[in-house]
Amino acid sequence: MDTEEKLEKLKENVKSLESVVVAFSGGVDSSLVAKVCYDVLGNKTLAVTARSETYPDYEYEEAQNIANEIGIRHMTIDTSELGIKGFADNPPNRCYFCKSELFGKLKEIARAKGYKNVADGANYDDTNEYRPGSDAAKELEVRSPLKESGLRKADIREISKFLGLSNWDKPSYACMSSRFPYGESITEEKLAIVSEAEKYLRGIGLKQFRVRHHDTIARIEVLPKDIPMLLQNGRRTELVKKFKEIGYKYVTIDMEGYRSGSMNEVL
């Protein structure tokens, strides 16, 4: 299918929602869902963003900007993943607890405001990865228009660019909790350390990266082509100094490079 045919298929799925609350993080996937829902259903749509300890301020600001760009009504709620029983212990199914709370709150909003459905930004590529949050979506009957339309990440970027969404090429982002090995407890202090380390990497011009937190060790994942950037012109010394100031004892670069869900490799 060409781009317009893929978009038409997505629109058909969205029509069946009738009215919808969109779980809106401001990432590429949820932005496309919000855009098409608004284009097809108009004011029968509401984008909801959840703010929490695991959601950095800069991501929230970007979500606000994209919601304004789309024109969709945008609501913000506060959540606390660390307050969910079992979440901070960081088990392999950690995302299930988070999504259960989030989707539960969105279902309540939908019922209170008269929306028939809740939709998320899950796509077809997610079916090939370990995604315990999808169990929560299934249990709570959350719709996934992108997945239902058979759209993969590349398709989503293609359609988003076609529709003129400014974040069509935004790097993939995952909850800050994904920076910790399963079984290592998650605390606000640790989240702040990782956030500060990633803020530094963003500040030197990197787009796609992760700082994986292994107690006193920072394992930096960047795209293979960006590894030399961290080693040249005094950058290595500056980076090590900054990360040690933040709180790490050892600073490492993962030679395999950035890959989504690398913490799942131990499962």
Side-chain angles (χ1 to χ4, degrees):
M1 291 189 291
D2 64 21
T3 306
E4 292 190 41
E5 289 172 328
K6 293 172 186 175
L7 176 56
E8 284 307 312
K9 186 173 183 180
L10 177 57
K11 285 182 175 180
E12 285 302 314
N13 269 303
V14 165
K15 283 179 186 177
S16 69
L17 297 173
E18 298 185 53
S19 59
V20 63
V21 171
V22 178
F24 182 68
S25 69
V28 179
D29 300 339
S30 65
S31 294
L32 180 58
V33 173
K35 168 67 174 171
V36 175
C37 284
Y38 182 67
D39 286 351
V40 173
L41 302 174
N43 289 330
K44 295 179 181 179
T45 61
L46 172 67
V48 178
T49 300
R51 298 196 72 178
S52 72
E53 315 94 329
T54 64
Y55 188 62
D57 287 341
Y58 75 88
E59 284 287 328
Y60 175 65
E61 291 167 7
E62 288 186 16
Q64 287 182 303
N65 292 337
I66 293 297
N68 289 334
E69 178 182 315
I70 293 169
I72 193 171
R73 284 184 292 177
H74 186 212
M75 177 180 178
T76 302
I77 61 173
D78 291 317
T79 59
S80 177
E81 281 88 349
L82 297 184
I84 304 171
K85 184 177 179 180
F87 181 91
D89 295 331
N90 198 16
N93 66 337
R94 176 196 66 236
C95 291
Y96 172 82
F97 298 111
C98 173
K99 294 298 186 183
S100 290
E101 183 196 40
L102 173 62
F103 293 147
K105 288 189 173 185
L106 297 189
K107 294 287 280 191
E108 290 175 5
I109 291 170
R111 281 193 292 268
K113 295 183 177 295
Y115 294 91
K116 292 189 176 181
N117 284 286
V118 170
D120 71 359
N123 65 64
Y124 196 75
D125 284 337
D126 295 331
T127 60
N128 298 319
E129 298 181 10
Y130 177 61
R131 300 278 184 173
S134 64
D135 293 333
K138 185 176 180 180
E139 288 174 7
L140 291 169
E141 299 181 320
V142 172
R143 295 281 300 275
S144 302
L146 302 176
K147 187 191 297 183
E148 293 168 19
S149 301
L151 297 177
R152 299 182 181 276
K153 194 73 173 188
D155 300 317
I156 292 162
R157 292 192 187 281
E158 174 190 319
I159 297 170
S160 297
K161 185 177 182 181
F162 176 78
L163 291 175
L165 282 169
S166 62
N167 67 344
W168 69 270
D169 61 346
K170 180 181 178 179
S172 297
Y173 181 80
C175 164
M176 292 292 289
S177 300
S178 67
R179 312 308 196 259
F180 302 89
Y182 293 121
E184 179 177 338
S185 63
I186 301 171
T187 66
E188 286 195 45
E189 181 182 15
K190 291 177 182 178
L191 288 167
I193 290 172
V194 175
S195 180
E196 187 66 19
E198 293 198 347
K199 180 180 178 181
Y200 170 81
L201 296 181
R202 192 174 304 107
I204 64 174
L206 290 169
K207 301 295 185 183
Q208 187 72 79
F209 56 84
R210 297 285 187 270
V211 174
R212 307 296 187 183
H213 182 99
H214 298 266
D215 193 18
T216 59
I217 302 171
R219 176 168 61 87
I220 302 169
E221 293 181 12
V222 298
L223 297 174
K225 69 179 181 64
D226 290 330
I227 291 176
M229 174 185 174
L230 300 181
L231 304 175
Q232 63 189 11
N233 299 329
R235 179 73 71 192
R236 179 183 65 85
T237 302
E238 177 189 285
L239 188 155
V240 170
K241 182 176 183 291
K242 179 62 177 179
F243 274 50
K244 287 193 172 185
E245 288 174 354
I246 290 169
Y248 289 109
K249 298 295 184 184
Y250 306 98
V251 184
T252 69
I253 298 173
D254 190 320
M255 298 306 291
E256 193 172 351
Y258 165 79
R259 61 244 184 240
S260 176
S262 69
M263 290 303 193
N264 294 335
E265 292 168 8
V266 301
L267 298 178

